[in-house]
Amino acid sequence: MSSVLAGVALVAAAIIWPRASGTDVATGKAVFDDWTPLKAAWEPELTATLLPPMVAAVLGLLCWGRVSRRLTWAPFLLLTFAASWLWTASLGHVGGAESIGRVFGRDSEYFVGAKEVSSVPEFLSGFIDRIPLDAPDNWPVHIAGHPPAATMFFILLDRLGIQDPYTAGMIVLSLGCTAVVAVLLTLRALGSERLARRAAPWLVVAPSWIWMGVSGDALFTAAGAWGLALLALAATAGRRTRLVGCGVAAGLVLGLCVHLSYGLVLLGVLALAVLFLGRRWWALPWAAGAALLVAGAFSLAGFSWWEAYPVLVTRYYDGIQTERPYGYWVWANLGVWTFTAGLATWASFPRAVAEVRRRASRDRFVVAVLGCAGMAAILVATLSGMSKGEVERIWLPFTLWVLILPVLLPVRWHRPLIASQLATAIVVELLWTTQW
């Protein structure tokens, strides 16, 4: 359990260091900046709204195995989605229904900015010009910090007549929960149905669902998961038609992902892992070609990713990020991330490395490779310097794949560690009010 102690020590150091050393890590002056490095306010409160997630946790522990083993594959996927949705929605409503609407109703959020867009072509063609902090009428922080597809989703909601931020939030929450289904389909394609069934509870109970329910990053997570699932189907296809069809679909979705968030280019690490495990590299040219078509379409519409990114980096360092010391955040980010992954994930790291080395079991090897690929993407993200704080939500698309690693641990550990994951989420909701 030395890896668990390492995780605990990292969290403690990330919390204690700026206070003990007097180091200014520039988190800001808002109410959610008083518990560095977590973006949250220390507000312990035992409320009635904590009862639904507690009931959901107990029911899950008591009933999951008994119910899930009786279901065939399709109903099992529906059960997993329903359990994920129930857990996420119950956590999201701990602060009351208004907490979700409050997040999506902020002036800095996509949903509010989307209402101001009258013409999508003009939005795309003039997008880059409004990224710089000193630009007249510059974009709010989240719109400026992401490619235009992120805002375009909310423009679509606005055009469909959805005006209430709470409704928009619940749509994002529901779409985000489909990510679990995508991961299970990937595991079944690359490994086995037995493997996918064993991984399901670890995905459902993760503390990360606190942030999946109340941020646009849930949408990015689901898109990335479905892109990788389609790629897995292509990489394991027995027929050429499925290889081409799923490969093209995967490329279109993953190409869209890169236009949802600049950081999702790191899904390339997971995509290579999927192709390696699937052993059908012919899926790569079809997926890459389709992804380039997406990039070309955006470029023809007036937005070029490769032109926008350097402008975004300039804005990033023109704001508060230039005051956030790299030397602290490069490791403190992992302390924040621990709140989302839970200590059960830390416990599985040594076993994952061992499974990658020995390749004794196909299923265990698949889990280890995918989990390590997700962790590799996270490490690259923190080393890049473009992730300084708020990674509890920003890294969700990669965290999702690391969460399957506890499957590798001894079976006798599973129930108590799953309980610890559930307890972590409830304790976070009990002690802190998170910004997201």
Side-chain angles (χ1 to χ4, degrees), residues 183-267:
V183 175
L184 297 185
L185 290 173
T186 303
L187 293 175
R188 186 177 188 239
L190 298 175
S192 67
E193 182 175 325
R194 177 175 175 271
L195 169 63
R197 287 175 176 269
R198 289 178 58 213
W202 295 103
L203 291 165
V204 170
V205 304
S208 59
W209 295 102
I210 293 172
W211 293 275
M212 281 284 284
V214 289
S215 76
D217 295 86
L219 179 68
F220 311 156
T221 302
W226 282 107
L228 292 170
L230 288 165
L231 188 62
L233 292 173
T236 56
R239 293 178 297 176
R240 182 174 176 80
T241 52
R242 182 174 131 177
L243 184 151
V244 174
C246 290
V248 169
L252 293 174
V253 176
L254 292 173
L256 179 62
C257 283
V258 175
H259 289 79
L260 287 168
S261 173
Y262 296 101
L264 291 189
V265 70
L266 293 177
L267 285 175

Side-chain angles (χ1 to χ4, degrees), residues 21-317:
S21 65
T23 303
D24 182 7
V25 294
T27 53
K29 304 299 181 184
V31 65
F32 296 109
D33 296 318
D34 65 356
W35 199 256
T36 306
L38 188 65
K39 198 73 172 174
W42 178 261
E43 295 178 344
E45 186 178 8
L46 186 61
T47 65
T49 53
L50 273 170
L51 188 59
M54 293 173 69
V55 171
V58 172
L59 286 176
L61 281 172
L62 294 177
C63 302
W64 175 268
R66 192 178 310 165
V67 174
S68 64
R69 72 171 62 99
R70 299 175 181 174
L71 300 177
T72 57
W73 178 240
F76 177 80
L77 290 178
L78 289 174
L79 171 68
T80 304
F81 169 78
S84 174
W85 190 93
L86 179 63
W87 178 236
T88 307
S90 64
L91 291 171
H93 286 78
V94 167
E98 66 276 7
S99 61
I100 293 178
R102 186 164 56 244
V103 170
F104 285 88
R106 291 173 185 154
D107 291 339
S108 60
E109 289 291 329
Y110 318 99
F111 183 72
V112 174
K115 297 177 182 295
E116 301 175 7
V117 177
S118 58
S119 168
V120 172
E122 290 179 9
F123 168 74
L124 289 171
S125 61
F127 189 87
I128 297 176
D129 293 337
R130 294 178 62 180
I131 293 177
L133 197 59
D134 59 0
D137 196 23
N138 62 70
W139 294 119
V141 60
H142 280 173
I143 295 179
H146 294 79
T151 306
M152 289 174 67
F153 172 80
F154 291 93
I155 293 174
L156 174 62
L157 294 186
D158 181 68
R159 298 297 190 270
L160 291 173
I162 297 170
Q163 303 295 318
D164 176 29
Y166 173 78
T167 303
M170 291 304 295
I171 290 172
V172 171
L173 182 152
S174 300
L175 290 174
C177 289
T178 67
V180 172
V181 177
V183 175
L184 297 185
L185 290 173
T186 303
L187 293 175
R188 186 177 188 239
L190 298 175
S192 67
E193 182 175 325
R194 177 175 175 271
L195 169 63
R197 287 175 176 269
R198 289 178 58 213
W202 295 103
L203 291 165
V204 170
V205 304
S208 59
W209 295 102
I210 293 172
W211 293 275
M212 281 284 284
V214 289
S215 76
D217 295 86
L219 179 68
F220 311 156
T221 302
W226 282 107
L228 292 170
L230 288 165
L231 188 62
L233 292 173
T236 56
R239 293 178 297 176
R240 182 174 176 80
T241 52
R242 182 174 131 177
L243 184 151
V244 174
C246 290
V248 169
L252 293 174
V253 176
L254 292 173
L256 179 62
C257 283
V258 175
H259 289 79
L260 287 168
S261 173
Y262 296 101
L264 291 189
V265 70
L266 293 177
L267 285 175
V269 178
L270 278 153
L272 290 175
V274 167
L275 290 170
F276 167 71
L277 292 169
R279 302 171 183 168
R280 293 294 301 274
W281 288 93
W282 275 111
L284 178 58
W286 293 102
L292 289 174
L293 283 177
V294 175
F298 272 95
S299 184
L300 287 174
F303 173 84
S304 296
W305 192 99
W306 50 92
E307 293 178 0
Y309 183 70
V311 181
L312 180 274
V313 172
T314 299
R315 166 146 180 176
Y316 184 79
Y317 285 105

Side-chain angles (χ1 to χ4, degrees), residues 335-392:
V336 180
W337 174 78
T338 301
F339 284 95
T340 72
L343 292 175
T345 304
W346 278 90
S348 63
F349 287 156
R351 193 63 59 97
V353 173
E355 293 294 342
V356 169
R357 288 177 175 173
R358 66 181 183 177
R359 304 189 183 193
S361 161
R362 171 67 183 178
D363 279 0
R364 295 175 72 83
F365 184 64
V366 166
V367 170
V369 169
L370 289 175
C372 288
M375 197 65 214
I378 285 172
L379 293 176
V380 172
T382 199
L383 289 171
S384 73
M386 291 298 288
S387 294
K388 295 180 183 177
E390 302 181 43
V391 298
E392 54 267 44

